Each structure stands twice: as structure tokens, then as C-alpha cells.
Amino acid sequence: MHSVALLTASYAKDIERFSLLSESIDTWLTGYTRHYVLVNDEDVPLFERFASDKRVIVPASRYLPKWLFALPPALQFISKRRVWLSLLSSPVHGWHIQQILKIAGVLNAPEQRVCILDSDNLFFREFDVGQYAGGEKTPLFVTPRGIDAGHPLHVLWLRTVDQLLGIKERAFPADDYVGNALVWDKDAARAMTDAIKSATGLNWALALCRKKKFSEYLLYGNFVANSPEYLARHRVTENSIAVSHWDDTPLDRPAIEALMHAASPEQVALCIQSYSSTSIDDIRDVFRLSSRDRRSPSLSPDHMGDAPAFETPKTR
């Protein structure tokens, strides 16, 4: 079995969501060595209360290149988003930085496998992430033919992926590798960044800063899919371990409860995208209720579905 770490890139505005994620990890997860939390330098004091023997708060500057520096918040008079400046590229924003940090965090982790968890995820069932992610092959989640030519944002991301990796042919509909609680292998991530340098002639982080319109998950998935060597090291699966709410419709408490109750036995995590404006208090209340009920000896076995150790999902 390979060692497995957890990794989250977060920031101050997501701290309440991150608080719930960390609580759920401490309640339900086993099988990992460390949870690395990468945040903006000025946010480190806000996140220090989450630090523990297994959770490490890492300032972004430790992993970001020296030529990229954050504009102090006091100087951001126009942009409502955090801005990073560089003499080598045009300015980049927090969303780009979080993606870069995820890649850098995987490359710098002592562990071989890393499960990437965004702040708007939480776990609601017992889960041995080491058993799931630390086996001979790395799980690679895919939605086959999930991106059609009419999807403007995903198509733009794929065009960038093709340029960064030197992929010459692209057919639609294309496979989609975006998901939640995804696992990366460090050797594959290193080979991916080498492929970016080979295709662009640039350091991988600089290449991403110059492109801007990219998805780290599509980048990793397409690299693996186009590399026979690394594809053979992955176990491709169409089953996500997370049940997700992707659109911008806010959910009320009954809808959150219904989403969790509808989860299959293999789905142990919940993601309600932050842009849906769903109340974090409602999510927390539902999570705490389900956690209490799951630990109650009087609970009916089918109240939340069985919560077995992870079962090998359908693969292809």
C-alpha cells in the first residue's frame, strides 16, 4: 500500500466551509498520514486553529514561484478578487493560484498519493481513504464523453490542456475528469509538469499563469489518458465517491438531506458548490444530525444506507 495524504487549497472567505470539512475528516476518515492545508500567507493565522498532529497549515509562498507575488489587499482598489502580479505574465487571481497550489502541493508531499479536497466538500460516512487511494493503481475518476462541443467553459479548458500537453487531436464529446475528492499520484503529477515544459518550453507554473483558462483536473486526467505508461498505473472508474450539487440553485435543509439519503453505498462525501449560496449553517446542521444518528446504536441500518468499507467500483 502507498502512503496517502489529503490536500486542500483554501482561503479566508471559505473558512466556515473548511471548518466543516475538517470536522468531517476528523469524524469519519482513516488511512491517511497528513492533511495539508494550503492558504494565502495572511490567512495562516485564521487557519492555525485547525492545526493538529495530522493537519498542517502551509503558507502559499512556500510553494509559489518567487517571481509571483501577491498584491496586498489594501492596494486592491478595483478588483474584488485577490490578485497576484508577475513580470513574466499578466496578473492572475485566487482561483488560478489555488489550482497551482494543488499541483505544487502534490509535487512536494512526502506521500505517494494525494486526495484533493476542496473546501466545499465534507464526509458523512466512515471511509478508509488509504484503502481506496493507496493500492497498486491510483483511482482515476472520469465521466465518459461528458464534454460536448457546445460547452463553452469546458471546451476552452480543453483547448488549453491540448496546448499545454502538446495534444494534437481532440474529438468531441470528450471525457470529463472534473470531480470531487480526486486522487493524484505524485509520479504522474511530476511527469505531467515535465510534459508541460516539453510542450511549451516554459516552467509549468509560468505556462499556467500565461494561459489562465485551465482546469487542473482536466489537465491531470488528460495527461494520464494520453500516456500509456501512466494510464496503466491508474484504475479508471466512472463511480465518484462524492455526491455533488453542481449548479447555482441554493438547497434548503430537506434538499440537503435528500441528497445525502440518495447517495449510493460507495459515496461517502458530499459536495455542495459554494457558488450555489446554500446556507453553510443548514449544511452543518444536516451533517451533525446525520453524524449523531449514524453513531446511535438505535439507528435503523437503512437510515442513511449502509456504510461499509469501500467496495471496488465499476471500472473500464
Side-chain angles (χ1 to χ4, degrees):
M1 297 292 288
H2 295 285
S3 57
V4 177
L6 312 178
L7 185 148
T8 302
S10 192
Y11 75 128
K13 289 185 178 180
D14 272 351
I15 195 166
E16 290 306 316
R17 288 182 168 80
F18 175 80
S19 176
L20 184 51
L21 168 64
S22 62
E23 182 181 339
S24 76
I25 290 172
D26 296 344
T27 301
W28 295 114
L29 254 64
T30 58
Y32 67 97
T33 57
R34 292 287 187 276
H35 181 195
Y36 301 105
V37 185
L38 283 53
V39 299
N40 300 339
D41 287 38
E42 69 273 14
D43 293 341
V44 169
L46 297 175
F47 281 82
E48 282 182 338
R49 63 186 171 98
F50 301 106
S52 67
D53 291 343
K54 298 193 71 171
R55 182 167 293 116
V56 182
I57 312 302
V58 183
S61 61
R62 186 177 301 177
Y63 291 152
L64 293 177
K66 301 303 181 184
W67 45 263
L68 190 63
F69 57 95
L71 184 67
L75 299 180
Q76 295 186 181
F77 302 110
I78 300 177
S79 177
K80 294 182 180 180
R81 297 182 294 172
R82 191 70 195 279
V83 176
W84 277 255
L85 302 177
S86 168
L87 296 177
L88 302 178
S89 72
S90 57
V92 294
H93 295 101
W95 187 62
H96 307 117
I97 294 298
Q98 286 200 0
Q99 294 184 80
I100 291 171
L101 284 174
K102 291 176 192 177
I103 298 172
V106 172
L107 297 178
N108 285 278
E111 294 80 6
Q112 183 64 31
R113 305 276 171 76
V114 178
C115 181
I116 303 175
L117 302 168
D118 291 333
S119 295
D120 45 14
N121 287 255
L122 65 84
F123 290 87
F124 60 92
R125 286 175 174 159
E126 292 179 352
F127 184 53
D128 185 338
V129 68
Q131 179 184 352
Y132 172 69
E136 179 183 358
K137 294 190 175 184
T138 308
L140 178 67
F141 171 70
V142 61
T143 302
R145 300 166 64 86
I147 303 175
D148 61 47
H151 197 302
L153 189 57
H154 282 68
V155 169
L156 182 58
W157 290 344
L158 281 177
R159 296 302 185 198
T160 301
V161 164
D162 294 345
Q163 294 167 10
L164 291 171
L165 296 178
I167 297 174
K168 302 301 183 182
E169 297 182 6
R170 168 67 60 186
F172 290 95
D175 291 347
D176 189 358
Y177 297 95
V178 176
N180 292 295
L182 302 182
V183 180
W184 285 13
D185 176 80
K186 183 165 65 174
D187 290 344
R190 176 66 64 190
M192 176 187 75
T193 58
D194 290 344
I196 293 173
K197 183 175 183 179
S198 177
T200 66
L202 301 172
N203 167 273
W204 67 268
L206 178 56
L208 293 181
C209 286
R210 289 187 175 180
K211 289 295 184 184
K212 292 188 178 61
K213 303 294 185 181
F214 65 91
S215 161
E216 76 279 30
Y217 298 137
L218 288 180
L219 189 61
Y220 183 88
N222 277 273
F223 168 75
V224 171
N226 284 273
S227 168
E229 176 186 354
Y230 287 98
L231 183 59
R233 301 185 188 183
H234 286 70
R235 170 175 53 82
V236 181
T237 176
E238 299 173 22
N239 294 342
S240 173
I241 63 170
V243 57
S244 304
H245 176 68
W246 288 106
D247 63 44
D248 56 6
T249 305
L251 302 180
D252 57 16
R253 285 189 58 174
I256 299 169
E257 292 173 353
L259 197 62
M260 294 174 70
H261 280 276
S264 69
E266 292 83 10
Q267 291 178 311
V268 297
L270 170 70
C271 176
I272 299 176
Q273 294 294 324
S274 57
Y275 55 71
S276 73
S277 299
T278 297
S279 165
I280 186 63
D281 290 334
D282 284 348
I283 299 173
R284 182 179 294 277
D285 287 346
V286 173
F287 164 74
R288 285 183 169 169
L289 178 63
S290 67
S291 295
R292 184 194 67 192
D293 288 347
R294 284 292 298 142
R295 294 191 181 281
S296 170
S298 62
L299 178 69
S300 170
D302 60 354
H303 178 78
M304 280 288 293
D306 292 335
F310 184 81
E311 298 174 1
T312 303
K314 177 179 66 177
T315 59
R316 66 177 179 90

